[in-house]
Amino acid sequence: MHASRELSAPSAPAPWQRTALGANLLAADGGLGVTIFEEMTNLAVQTGAINLGQGFPDEDGPQEILDAARDAIAAGANQYAPGKGIPQLRAAVAAHQERFYGLTPDPDTEVLITTGATEAIAASLLAFTGPGDEVLTLEPFYDSYGAVIGLSGATHVTAPLLAPDFMPDLAALEAAFSERTRVVLLNNPHNPTGAVFPREVLQKVVALAQKHDVLIITDEVYEHLTFGVRHIPVASLPGAAERTITISSAGKTFSLTGWKIGWLTGPAELVAAARTVKQFLTYSSGTPFQPAIAAGLGLPDSFYQGIAASLEQKRDILSEGLRAAGFGVYAPQGTYFVNVDTAPLGITDSVDLARRLPGLVGVAAIPVPVFCHPEGAERTRSLLRFAFCKKADVLEEAAGRLAALGSRL
């Protein structure tokens, strides 16, 4: 496998066009398309399908966190929060990093609260990359990575993740680094594949970053959603801390995606640079939600163990239906997504099947090729991603519908 480099637009595009092109939203004629998430959601609404495309839970998070937000609103926490986040939440993030990973960021200078992980990623990339730089990600990649890389003016370089376990091709990973590489952006646990990278893979990333003097930005929003394997923060590895910005958020852990409370941690000088950009994106957000998330981060270990165990059961419910449908199922080690291969059904175009699936069996999914550049899209053209962060009875209904797919094709 070879690293792939993004195709250049035929003429100098405007920043919004670079953003759209990076997210695979710009048509050949320059027209703007809609995200695959919007398209699949619309199809689900039109057909009454169960939407297992976009990854958001259909249940609220812990009651004590919801109550804490209500209490904060009632107490008057309704104006701007400090730009770097309220002290209570910054302290809670620092305590979380120490509690789970032995990391000890200074809550005053090495923690920044953001409007979700998405803003943390954007602020970090825009702080450190620009025209002439390269940003390396694994492929498939979360679509906002390509969008922000495009907005920055940097070039998006990828290295492939290979089925069935979606581990990186280490030779291709090494070949993807160059003298222009400025940032390696790593997502672990990985969306959309569900892979959780072991220590040896992460150490290889760190070694290559050291060799090329590259900044590591690591998106770890699914850190507590792993199944039978342990999440290892990149910043905890030897040689990584001084060059790593670690990003996470409350949305996935607490099933509160609409609150958009995220954070980043890292060396003070890196955090200060990201904060400089962040303050001109949103300045601050979610004032009453911040103390509520601080309370959530202090929940006992039983909570964190319970959310992973519950999701593992949901993964298995959906996977059983997917196997009954005739798909090749790749069991994820983390996140709340399961990928399947459509080839055993004699179907090699997952984009086409995704558009037909709501009408065929009343279930919506996302084709994996949309998370790739053209070469990667060809490599993953028979893969579909399903989300299992739904109520068990919804997943049981979806599994039953999917089991009938073979007779509907």
Side-chain angles (χ1 to χ4, degrees):
M1 292 292 183
H2 301 288
S4 65
R5 280 174 166 74
E6 186 178 31
L7 297 178
S8 299
S11 59
W16 73 267
Q17 291 173 312
R18 296 199 307 267
T19 303
L21 184 63
N24 293 329
L25 292 181
L26 202 64
D29 63 1
L32 184 62
V34 299
T35 68
I36 192 68
F37 304 104
E38 182 177 350
E39 181 182 354
M40 292 301 111
T41 295
N42 288 340
L43 280 174
V45 170
Q46 292 166 13
T47 61
I50 297 172
N51 189 355
L52 302 184
Q54 194 165 7
F56 58 87
D58 60 359
E59 297 178 276
D60 285 338
Q63 189 63 46
E64 53 262 62
I65 302 180
L66 304 181
D67 290 342
R70 294 187 185 98
D71 291 343
I73 291 171
N78 302 304
Q79 308 308 323
Y80 291 125
K84 61 183 181 180
I86 66 170
Q88 181 185 357
L89 180 53
R90 286 186 278 113
V93 169
H96 169 276
Q97 294 302 93
E98 183 170 15
R99 171 186 172 187
F100 288 99
Y101 311 123
L103 299 169
T104 56
D106 183 325
D108 290 327
T109 61
E110 297 181 329
V111 178
L112 176 65
I113 307 306
T114 59
T115 306
T118 304
E119 186 190 40
I121 293 162
S124 299
L125 286 172
L126 293 173
F128 294 105
T129 66
D133 295 328
E134 292 182 350
V135 179
L136 171 60
T137 75
L138 299 174
E139 187 179 51
F141 53 84
Y142 182 53
D143 58 352
S144 80
Y145 300 169
V148 179
I149 294 166
L151 178 61
S152 77
T155 298
H156 187 182
V157 178
T158 64
L161 295 174
L162 306 177
D165 56 2
F166 296 106
M167 289 294 118
D169 179 325
L170 294 182
L173 177 64
E174 185 163 8
F177 281 81
S178 77
E179 69 280 357
R180 294 173 58 196
T181 306
R182 183 72 180 95
V183 166
V184 54
L185 173 55
L186 186 68
N187 179 205
N188 182 45
H190 185 265
N191 175 21
T193 68
V196 178
F197 303 123
R199 183 175 298 272
E200 56 269 25
V201 168
L202 300 177
Q203 286 178 327
K204 180 68 171 178
V205 172
V206 173
L208 289 167
Q210 289 177 305
K211 177 181 177 180
H212 295 274
D213 193 22
V214 166
L215 178 68
I216 303 170
I217 299 173
T218 177
D219 174 359
E220 303 183 5
V221 296
Y222 297 98
E223 59 187 316
H224 291 294
L225 310 183
T226 62
F227 317 123
V229 294
R230 178 172 168 265
H231 170 66
I232 302 171
V234 173
S236 68
L237 299 176
E242 63 269 22
R243 65 176 67 248
T244 300
I245 293 176
T246 302
I247 293 169
S248 194
S249 77
K252 307 302 188 294
T253 299
F254 300 118
S255 295
L256 296 167
T257 58
W259 286 18
K260 297 299 290 180
I261 300 295
W263 52 83
L264 62 83
T265 61
E269 65 275 13
L270 300 183
V271 171
R275 186 173 68 244
T276 300
V277 175
K278 178 263 186 299
Q279 66 183 340
F280 298 109
L281 296 176
T282 60
Y283 178 63
S284 73
S285 59
T287 301
F289 300 139
Q290 292 193 30
I293 296 304
L297 288 172
L299 289 173
D301 290 353
S302 58
F303 165 77
Y304 292 94
Q305 294 161 359
I307 56 174
S310 174
L311 272 176
E312 187 170 11
Q313 292 174 349
K314 293 178 177 183
R315 176 198 68 176
D316 294 344
I317 291 170
L318 181 59
S319 295
E320 182 178 351
L322 292 167
R323 291 190 184 94
F327 291 116
V329 178
Y330 301 114
Q333 292 186 307
T335 76
Y336 42 50
F337 303 109
V338 58
N339 285 259
V340 303
D341 189 358
T342 66
L345 291 169
I347 298 171
T348 57
D349 185 349
S350 63
V351 176
D352 176 68
L353 180 59
R355 289 178 171 137
R356 293 193 292 137
L357 201 60
L360 286 170
V361 294
V363 177
I366 298 292
V368 175
V370 302
F371 298 103
C372 301
H373 291 158
E375 181 181 337
E378 183 60 31
R379 186 176 59 252
T380 61
R381 70 188 308 264
S382 64
L383 301 186
L384 275 175
R385 189 197 77 174
F386 293 81
F388 53 87
C389 50
K390 310 296 179 182
K391 296 175 183 175
D393 59 340
V394 172
L395 294 172
E396 288 167 355
E397 173 64 22
R401 295 183 185 188
L402 287 162
L405 178 61
S407 63
R408 305 284 174 83
L409 289 171

